[in-house]
Amino acid sequence: MSTDAPAAAPAHSVTTVERGSFCLAHCACGWRGPARRSRDRARTDAEQHLSSPENPPGS
């Protein structure tokens, strides 16, 4: 019998990364947004991910 606690789900921490002329949003939970030419649109994708009902605060 194992007494190890189950691994906690990663917290949501979104960053943007630039790859050439594209900007992508990445989250610690593994989510990745589409490549965008607009940094502002990549940030909007990240905000939508964080506010999604599938991602409650603290999860």
Side-chain angles (χ1 to χ4, degrees):
M1 183 166 99
S2 175
T3 59
D4 294 339
H12 294 282
S13 174
V14 181
T15 59
T16 55
V17 178
E18 292 190 27
R19 300 279 165 105
S21 59
F22 292 91
C23 188
L24 301 91
H26 293 195
C27 183
C29 75
W31 173 86
R32 297 194 187 280
R36 304 286 190 177
R37 289 196 181 266
S38 166
R39 288 183 193 101
D40 192 44
R41 183 62 182 132
R43 287 186 202 110
T44 300
D45 292 340
E47 289 171 11
Q48 289 175 344
H49 169 70
L50 291 175
S51 65
S52 170
E54 298 171 3
N55 303 316
S59 71

